[in-house]
């Protein structure tokens, strides 16, 4: 199944996995960057000589960074907008619990915001202060979303560049 140096079956399978990962980064229900990285790992195992381990390690580190961003972005946003540690922790917990309470997509957006607000209220903050922490969490989440899309496109470009050069 090889034509002009391309292993077509592994290439097509990997392209499909990467496509699903990119869609998962844009529609944040799936861990897009982790899916992209898994496609790269599968390709490396399937066709060992086409890409280097350096590419696998770099894209793996980027996928890990994207996952960490998901958890710290809400925390950072709540703190940046004047939230307390309780509000920031509430944002992280809301990000974990939200997708289970609401639908996955809604929960990923609403969960951290409500978590930050509830956390602030338990710290005896006013509704206005709690709302600011919630807005900060939303801003942090949007920033994380944009960065994750960038990471997913960079991982994809790096893989294809390494494969075709």
């Amino acid at each position: 199944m090889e034509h002009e140096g391309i292993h077509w079956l592994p290439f097509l399978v990997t392209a499909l996995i990467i496509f699903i990962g990119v869609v998962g980064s844009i529609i944040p229900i799936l861990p897009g960057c982790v899916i992209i990285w898994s496609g790269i790992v599968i390709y490396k195992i399937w066709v060992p000589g086409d890409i280097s381990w350096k590419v696998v390690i770099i894209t793996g580190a980027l996928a890990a960074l994207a996952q960490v961003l998901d958890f710290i972005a809400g925390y950072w946003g709540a703190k940046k907008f004047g939230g307390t540690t309780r509000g920031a922790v509430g944002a992280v917990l809301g990000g974990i619990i939200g997708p289970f309470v609401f639908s996955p997509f809604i929960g990923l957006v609403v969960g951290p915001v409500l978590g930050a607000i509830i956390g602030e209220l338990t710290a005896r903050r006013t509704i206005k202060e709690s709302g600011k922490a919630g807005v900060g969490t939303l801003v942090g989440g949007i920033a994380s979303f944009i960065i994750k899309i960038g990471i997913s496109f960079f991982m994809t470009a790096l893989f294809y560049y390494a494969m075709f050069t």
Side-chain angles (χ1 to χ4, degrees), residues 54-89:
K54 182 179 176 181
V55 170
V56 175
I57 291 167
I58 291 170
T59 55
L62 289 169
L65 174 65
Q67 289 303 110
V68 169
L69 274 176
D70 264 350
F71 291 106
I72 65 170
Y75 182 92
W76 171 84
K79 294 292 279 181
K80 190 73 174 170
F81 278 63
T84 64
T85 300
R86 281 190 181 199
V89 169

Short mmCIF file of all heavy atoms in Angstrom, two decimals, residues 54-89:
data_model
loop_
_atom_site.label_atom_id
_atom_site.label_comp_id
_atom_site.label_asym_id
_atom_site.label_seq_id
_atom_site.Cartn_x
_atom_site.Cartn_y
_atom_site.Cartn_z
N LYS A 54 11.69 12.79 18.57
CA LYS A 54 11.68 14.19 18.97
C LYS A 54 10.32 14.82 18.70
O LYS A 54 9.77 15.55 19.54
CB LYS A 54 12.79 14.95 18.22
CG LYS A 54 12.92 16.40 18.59
CD LYS A 54 14.06 17.05 17.82
CE LYS A 54 14.15 18.52 18.09
NZ LYS A 54 15.23 19.16 17.32
N VAL A 55 9.74 14.52 17.55
CA VAL A 55 8.41 15.04 17.20
C VAL A 55 7.37 14.47 18.17
O VAL A 55 6.49 15.21 18.65
CB VAL A 55 8.04 14.69 15.74
CG1 VAL A 55 6.59 15.01 15.44
CG2 VAL A 55 8.95 15.43 14.78
N VAL A 56 7.47 13.19 18.48
CA VAL A 56 6.52 12.57 19.41
C VAL A 56 6.63 13.21 20.79
O VAL A 56 5.61 13.52 21.43
CB VAL A 56 6.77 11.04 19.49
CG1 VAL A 56 5.88 10.40 20.54
CG2 VAL A 56 6.55 10.38 18.13
N ILE A 57 7.84 13.46 21.24
CA ILE A 57 8.04 14.05 22.57
C ILE A 57 7.56 15.50 22.60
O ILE A 57 6.88 15.91 23.55
CB ILE A 57 9.53 13.93 22.98
CG1 ILE A 57 9.86 12.46 23.24
CG2 ILE A 57 9.84 14.78 24.21
CD1 ILE A 57 11.34 12.16 23.34
N ILE A 58 7.89 16.28 21.58
CA ILE A 58 7.45 17.68 21.54
C ILE A 58 5.93 17.76 21.51
O ILE A 58 5.32 18.53 22.26
CB ILE A 58 8.07 18.42 20.33
CG1 ILE A 58 9.57 18.60 20.55
CG2 ILE A 58 7.38 19.77 20.09
CD1 ILE A 58 10.31 19.10 19.31
N THR A 59 5.30 16.97 20.66
CA THR A 59 3.83 17.02 20.58
C THR A 59 3.19 16.48 21.86
O THR A 59 2.14 16.96 22.27
CB THR A 59 3.30 16.28 19.34
OG1 THR A 59 3.80 14.94 19.33
CG2 THR A 59 3.71 17.01 18.05
N GLY A 60 3.84 15.51 22.49
CA GLY A 60 3.34 15.01 23.78
C GLY A 60 3.39 16.07 24.85
O GLY A 60 2.45 16.23 25.64
N ALA A 61 4.48 16.82 24.88
CA ALA A 61 4.61 17.91 25.85
C ALA A 61 3.55 18.99 25.59
O ALA A 61 2.96 19.54 26.53
CB ALA A 61 6.01 18.50 25.80
N LEU A 62 3.31 19.27 24.32
CA LEU A 62 2.27 20.26 23.97
C LEU A 62 0.88 19.77 24.37
O LEU A 62 0.06 20.56 24.86
CB LEU A 62 2.33 20.58 22.48
CG LEU A 62 3.54 21.40 22.04
CD1 LEU A 62 3.63 21.43 20.51
CD2 LEU A 62 3.47 22.80 22.60
N ALA A 63 0.61 18.49 24.18
CA ALA A 63 -0.69 17.93 24.58
C ALA A 63 -0.85 18.02 26.10
O ALA A 63 -1.94 18.37 26.59
CB ALA A 63 -0.81 16.49 24.10
N ALA A 64 0.21 17.73 26.83
CA ALA A 64 0.15 17.83 28.29
C ALA A 64 -0.08 19.28 28.72
O ALA A 64 -0.88 19.56 29.61
CB ALA A 64 1.44 17.28 28.90
N LEU A 65 0.62 20.20 28.05
CA LEU A 65 0.44 21.62 28.35
C LEU A 65 -1.01 22.05 28.12
O LEU A 65 -1.59 22.77 28.94
CB LEU A 65 1.37 22.47 27.47
CG LEU A 65 1.20 23.98 27.56
CD1 LEU A 65 1.54 24.48 28.96
CD2 LEU A 65 2.05 24.68 26.51
N ALA A 66 -1.60 21.60 27.04
CA ALA A 66 -3.00 21.95 26.74
C ALA A 66 -3.93 21.43 27.83
O ALA A 66 -4.88 22.13 28.23
CB ALA A 66 -3.41 21.39 25.38
N GLN A 67 -3.68 20.22 28.32
CA GLN A 67 -4.53 19.66 29.39
C GLN A 67 -4.37 20.45 30.68
O GLN A 67 -5.35 20.73 31.36
CB GLN A 67 -4.18 18.19 29.63
CG GLN A 67 -4.62 17.27 28.52
CD GLN A 67 -6.11 17.36 28.26
OE1 GLN A 67 -6.54 17.87 27.25
NE2 GLN A 67 -6.91 16.89 29.18
N VAL A 68 -3.14 20.81 31.01
CA VAL A 68 -2.89 21.58 32.22
C VAL A 68 -3.56 22.95 32.12
O VAL A 68 -4.14 23.45 33.08
CB VAL A 68 -1.37 21.72 32.48
CG1 VAL A 68 -1.07 22.73 33.57
CG2 VAL A 68 -0.78 20.36 32.84
N LEU A 69 -3.50 23.55 30.93
CA LEU A 69 -4.15 24.85 30.71
C LEU A 69 -5.63 24.79 31.04
O LEU A 69 -6.18 25.75 31.59
CB LEU A 69 -3.98 25.30 29.26
CG LEU A 69 -2.72 26.05 28.92
CD1 LEU A 69 -2.67 26.33 27.42
CD2 LEU A 69 -2.61 27.34 29.70
N ASP A 70 -6.27 23.69 30.70
CA ASP A 70 -7.70 23.55 30.99
C ASP A 70 -7.97 23.74 32.48
O ASP A 70 -8.96 24.35 32.85
CB ASP A 70 -8.20 22.17 30.57
CG ASP A 70 -8.84 22.18 29.21
OD1 ASP A 70 -9.08 23.27 28.66
OD2 ASP A 70 -9.11 21.09 28.68
N PHE A 71 -7.11 23.18 33.30
CA PHE A 71 -7.34 23.24 34.74
C PHE A 71 -6.89 24.56 35.36
O PHE A 71 -7.55 25.07 36.26
CB PHE A 71 -6.66 22.07 35.44
CG PHE A 71 -7.31 20.76 35.13
CD1 PHE A 71 -6.71 19.86 34.28
CD2 PHE A 71 -8.54 20.44 35.67
CE1 PHE A 71 -7.32 18.66 33.97
CE2 PHE A 71 -9.17 19.25 35.36
CZ PHE A 71 -8.56 18.36 34.51
N ILE A 72 -5.79 25.13 34.87
CA ILE A 72 -5.30 26.34 35.53
C ILE A 72 -5.90 27.63 34.96
O ILE A 72 -5.84 28.66 35.62
CB ILE A 72 -3.76 26.42 35.51
CG1 ILE A 72 -3.21 26.54 34.09
CG2 ILE A 72 -3.16 25.26 36.25
CD1 ILE A 72 -1.73 26.87 34.05
N ALA A 73 -6.48 27.58 33.77
CA ALA A 73 -7.01 28.81 33.17
C ALA A 73 -8.12 29.42 34.01
O ALA A 73 -8.15 30.63 34.23
CB ALA A 73 -7.50 28.54 31.75
N GLY A 74 -9.04 28.59 34.47
CA GLY A 74 -10.13 29.10 35.32
C GLY A 74 -9.59 29.63 36.63
O GLY A 74 -10.02 30.69 37.12
N TYR A 75 -8.64 28.93 37.20
CA TYR A 75 -8.01 29.37 38.45
C TYR A 75 -7.34 30.73 38.24
O TYR A 75 -7.56 31.67 39.00
CB TYR A 75 -6.97 28.32 38.88
CG TYR A 75 -6.28 28.62 40.18
CD1 TYR A 75 -6.79 28.12 41.37
CD2 TYR A 75 -5.11 29.36 40.23
CE1 TYR A 75 -6.16 28.39 42.58
CE2 TYR A 75 -4.48 29.64 41.42
CZ TYR A 75 -5.00 29.14 42.60
OH TYR A 75 -4.38 29.41 43.78
N TRP A 76 -6.55 30.82 37.18
CA TRP A 76 -5.85 32.07 36.88
C TRP A 76 -6.84 33.22 36.66
O TRP A 76 -6.66 34.31 37.18
CB TRP A 76 -4.97 31.88 35.64
CG TRP A 76 -4.39 33.17 35.14
CD1 TRP A 76 -3.26 33.79 35.58
CD2 TRP A 76 -4.93 34.02 34.12
NE1 TRP A 76 -3.06 34.97 34.90
CE2 TRP A 76 -4.08 35.13 34.00
CE3 TRP A 76 -6.06 33.95 33.30
CZ2 TRP A 76 -4.32 36.16 33.09
CZ3 TRP A 76 -6.28 34.97 32.41
CH2 TRP A 76 -5.43 36.06 32.31
N GLY A 77 -7.88 32.96 35.86
CA GLY A 77 -8.86 34.00 35.56
C GLY A 77 -9.57 34.51 36.80
O GLY A 77 -9.74 35.71 36.98
N ALA A 78 -9.96 33.58 37.68
CA ALA A 78 -10.64 33.98 38.91
C ALA A 78 -9.72 34.84 39.77
O ALA A 78 -10.13 35.89 40.29
CB ALA A 78 -11.10 32.75 39.68
N LYS A 79 -8.47 34.43 39.91
CA LYS A 79 -7.51 35.19 40.72
C LYS A 79 -7.20 36.55 40.07
O LYS A 79 -7.09 37.55 40.77
CB LYS A 79 -6.21 34.40 40.91
CG LYS A 79 -6.34 33.14 41.74
CD LYS A 79 -6.64 33.41 43.19
CE LYS A 79 -5.39 33.77 43.94
NZ LYS A 79 -5.65 34.03 45.37
N LYS A 80 -7.06 36.57 38.76
CA LYS A 80 -6.73 37.81 38.04
C LYS A 80 -7.83 38.86 38.21
O LYS A 80 -7.55 40.05 38.24
CB LYS A 80 -6.52 37.49 36.56
CG LYS A 80 -5.95 38.61 35.75
CD LYS A 80 -4.49 38.82 36.07
CE LYS A 80 -3.90 39.85 35.15
NZ LYS A 80 -2.58 40.26 35.54
N PHE A 81 -9.08 38.41 38.33
CA PHE A 81 -10.20 39.33 38.46
C PHE A 81 -10.58 39.56 39.93
O PHE A 81 -11.70 39.92 40.23
CB PHE A 81 -11.40 38.82 37.66
CG PHE A 81 -11.33 39.15 36.20
CD1 PHE A 81 -10.32 38.64 35.39
CD2 PHE A 81 -12.28 39.98 35.62
CE1 PHE A 81 -10.25 38.94 34.05
CE2 PHE A 81 -12.22 40.30 34.27
CZ PHE A 81 -11.19 39.78 33.48
N GLY A 82 -9.63 39.31 40.82
CA GLY A 82 -9.84 39.64 42.23
C GLY A 82 -10.46 38.54 43.06
O GLY A 82 -10.87 38.79 44.19
N GLY A 83 -10.51 37.35 42.56
CA GLY A 83 -11.09 36.24 43.32
C GLY A 83 -10.16 35.73 44.40
O GLY A 83 -8.96 35.95 44.36
N THR A 84 -10.75 35.05 45.35
CA THR A 84 -9.97 34.43 46.43
C THR A 84 -9.53 33.04 45.99
O THR A 84 -9.93 32.55 44.93
CB THR A 84 -10.83 34.30 47.70
OG1 THR A 84 -11.92 33.40 47.42
CG2 THR A 84 -11.38 35.65 48.16
N THR A 85 -8.75 32.42 46.83
CA THR A 85 -8.33 31.04 46.55
C THR A 85 -9.55 30.13 46.49
O THR A 85 -9.61 29.22 45.66
CB THR A 85 -7.33 30.55 47.62
OG1 THR A 85 -6.19 31.42 47.59
CG2 THR A 85 -6.91 29.12 47.36
N ARG A 86 -10.54 30.38 47.34
CA ARG A 86 -11.76 29.55 47.30
C ARG A 86 -12.46 29.67 45.95
O ARG A 86 -12.95 28.68 45.41
CB ARG A 86 -12.73 29.95 48.41
CG ARG A 86 -12.36 29.40 49.74
CD ARG A 86 -13.49 29.64 50.71
NE ARG A 86 -13.12 29.14 52.01
CZ ARG A 86 -13.99 28.88 52.96
NH1 ARG A 86 -15.28 29.09 52.74
NH2 ARG A 86 -13.59 28.42 54.11
N GLY A 87 -12.53 30.87 45.42
CA GLY A 87 -13.15 31.06 44.11
C GLY A 87 -12.35 30.37 43.01
O GLY A 87 -12.92 29.75 42.11
N ALA A 88 -11.04 30.46 43.09
CA ALA A 88 -10.18 29.82 42.09
C ALA A 88 -10.30 28.30 42.16
O ALA A 88 -10.40 27.63 41.13
CB ALA A 88 -8.73 30.27 42.28
N VAL A 89 -10.30 27.76 43.38
CA VAL A 89 -10.47 26.31 43.54
C VAL A 89 -11.86 25.90 43.07
O VAL A 89 -12.04 24.85 42.43
CB VAL A 89 -10.21 25.88 45.00
CG1 VAL A 89 -10.62 24.44 45.25
CG2 VAL A 89 -8.72 26.08 45.35
#
